[in-house]
Amino acid sequence: MAGNKSYTIVEYFGGDDGYRCGYCKNEKGNFSHGMWSHTMTVQDYQDLIDRGWRRSGKYVYKPIMNKTCCPQYTIRCHALKFQPSKSHKKILKKMSKFISKGELPTGQEDGEPMDSVCEEAGPREPSKVCPAEVKCAAPTDIQKEVAECSAIREVQKEVAEAASTGSETSRTDPVSVPDGRRTATAPKPGMGADPSRPPCRKAKDLRKERHLQKEQMRQHADGISSIVSPTPPPPTQTNQPKNLEDFISESLPENSSHCLEVRLVRSNPPSPQFKASFDASYQVYKLYQMAIHKDPPDKPSESQFRRFLCDSPLEAEYSPDGPEVGYGSFHQQYWLDGRIVAVGVIDILPTCVSSVYLYYHPDFASLSLGSYSALREIAFTRQLQKQSPKLSYYYLGFYIHSCPKMRYKGQYRPSDLLCPETYVWVPIERCLPQLENSRYARFNQDPDAGDARALKDVGRALVLYRRTVMPYGAYSRKRKGSSDETEVQQYAGLVGQDCAERILLYRA
């Protein structure tokens, strides 16, 4: 991010019409604002999701909370404070049993929601369409021209169709291998530890560490970048509770019947590893959509897969104080015995890892891969935080209390919900009583509090007009009698002051 002079460029579509809800199946009850993003900086997207926006491909949308049938509240988990619950431990033990003994659980997924880790309702078809072509280029301080969008009408139609069937389900191209370091054995009574010597460690732990080092050397030789796996915890006393990394390590024993690896591949711009595994990843997505969402065989098309799960407005960005893998959009691939069985689509942003979508091979549905991948992504967030201290949250998408199968996201504690009126974070424990009484709720208890980041002067919003960046005030003077002030004012109110003064709103 430091040193990058780039802009976010969007087209705003409003949200006047209702569309089919992917949760309650109301044909006209879903309402949301939408924007097509030609390019977007990670900081702008971070600020947008902190105001209730989410992306699906390059389409960014924000539910109209007091109007839509199933209000969707942005939820984030405090990754550093997270402790797995009994149900989470059960899922990790189930994975351990499968990896070590090869026993695949039978039956259903122990009540795991169909949509797994992320359940975004997805974007809706906008009430307006963009111009058939966008050829506007920024001036010299903008690094590249806006891409042509002659096919956006077709994309928006597919976006709406995808939203009606299912929605949000549910890090530089490494292979993640299990790390096996465990807690050190406590000294026997009457025999204190020698402070001049390092903590005693089990031989098995040392073997695992040597195995990890060898694996790292092999991967570097193969041209794969640094490993992204749960950071081994420091030796601790046995009377201290195990943390998430301990449980994940124990779920991946050595000398097992199966081998599970997690590989992070950058999806935009597509890395060589992403391109090499594209076909295998798409086939898993196709099987998932047909088995879980009951799509006909011809619906999960390759173009749909590319547009919604591979395309992203986020470019690769790097910062001296950021994570080594950089910021942007990635696929976290789960490889079992050399083949892809699940893929988590994620965004790495300045203060969070944001879960976008999760799909998996239906043959392994009983492993609760949605919940398992969420736990791995929380551990991944904790690992990134060691490199970038402010990156400490895990965003699970939207929490939908009115849809019972979507309440599982509230089980990742501690977590907060975003107040839809003041855009402050409120602990979920304080929000749930209100949601029991009403689908829509204002969580901020201060009746006088408002949107602290509201744009007071719409004239300060930036627009892109005829290849020139200018404040909306200057644009409106050029376009004497322009009738779009109400629309621009609505847009600026939704994105907030910071984004309105940085993001370029395209004007035809």
Side-chain angles (χ1 to χ4, degrees), residues 13-45:
F13 299 122
D16 298 328
D17 298 331
Y19 297 90
R20 186 176 187 272
C21 177
Y23 301 106
C24 69
K25 311 308 178 186
N26 186 319
E27 292 296 330
K28 293 289 185 181
N30 180 50
F31 292 85
S32 65
H33 300 280
M35 298 189 297
W36 185 267
S37 178
H38 298 280
T39 182
M40 183 171 288
T41 67
V42 293
Q43 185 60 60
D44 285 339
Y45 186 52

Side-chain angles (χ1 to χ4, degrees), residues 161-174:
E161 291 174 351
S164 66
T165 58
S167 19
E168 181 184 311
T169 303
S170 56
R171 170 179 188 142
T172 30
D173 307 321

Side-chain angles (χ1 to χ4, degrees), residues 103-321:
E103 298 177 10
L104 192 65
T106 58
Q108 298 300 316
E109 309 168 43
D110 296 334
E112 184 177 64
M114 178 185 298
D115 284 325
S116 195
V117 170
C118 322
E119 85 304 324
E120 262 175 354
R124 301 294 177 255
E125 183 179 3
S127 59
K128 298 180 182 179
V129 295
C130 72
E133 289 188 352
V134 178
K135 296 182 179 178
C136 39
T140 54
D141 60 343
I142 297 182
Q143 296 179 346
K144 61 182 181 179
E145 295 188 358
V146 181
E148 295 185 4
C149 64
S150 58
I152 289 184
R153 285 191 180 90
E154 177 187 352
V155 173
Q156 291 163 354
K157 180 180 179 182
E158 291 189 19
V159 164
E161 291 174 351
S164 66
T165 58
S167 19
E168 181 184 311
T169 303
S170 56
R171 170 179 188 142
T172 30
D173 307 321
V175 176
S176 170
V177 278
D179 184 278
R181 188 185 300 179
R182 297 188 184 179
T183 56
T185 305
K188 296 180 180 180
M191 299 178 62
D194 185 349
S196 65
R197 301 180 63 185
C200 180
R201 297 170 60 191
K202 294 182 179 180
K204 184 177 181 180
D205 295 336
L206 294 172
R207 289 197 302 272
K208 286 186 176 182
E209 184 171 326
R210 287 195 294 269
H211 172 78
L212 176 61
Q213 292 172 347
K214 290 180 181 179
E215 187 66 20
Q216 287 176 319
M217 294 175 64
R218 180 189 67 79
Q219 291 163 12
H220 280 293
D222 291 343
I224 301 176
S225 47
S226 58
I227 288 179
V228 178
S229 61
T231 303
T236 56
Q237 298 298 319
T238 54
N239 60 351
Q240 292 186 1
K242 295 179 181 179
N243 60 22
L244 176 60
E245 289 76 10
D246 291 323
F247 285 107
I248 291 178
S249 294
E250 291 179 1
S251 73
L252 301 169
E254 287 186 331
N255 303 319
S256 303
S257 298
H258 297 290
C259 176
L260 179 67
E261 298 175 334
V262 182
R263 305 180 186 180
L264 180 76
V265 297
R266 183 179 286 278
S267 56
N268 189 59
S271 66
Q273 291 81 7
F274 175 84
K275 293 177 180 178
S277 58
F278 177 87
D279 290 339
S281 183
Y282 166 60
Q283 291 304 321
V284 173
Y285 165 77
K286 189 172 182 178
L287 291 171
Y288 173 82
Q289 291 295 118
M290 290 190 294
I292 307 300
H293 291 298
K294 311 304 179 185
D295 281 359
D298 60 335
K299 185 171 183 180
S301 66
E302 182 177 317
S303 62
Q304 181 192 61
F305 174 65
R306 286 183 183 275
R307 285 168 175 165
F308 301 142
L309 298 180
C310 303
D311 290 350
S312 169
L314 305 178
E315 297 294 333
E317 296 185 38
Y318 297 88
S319 173
D321 59 351

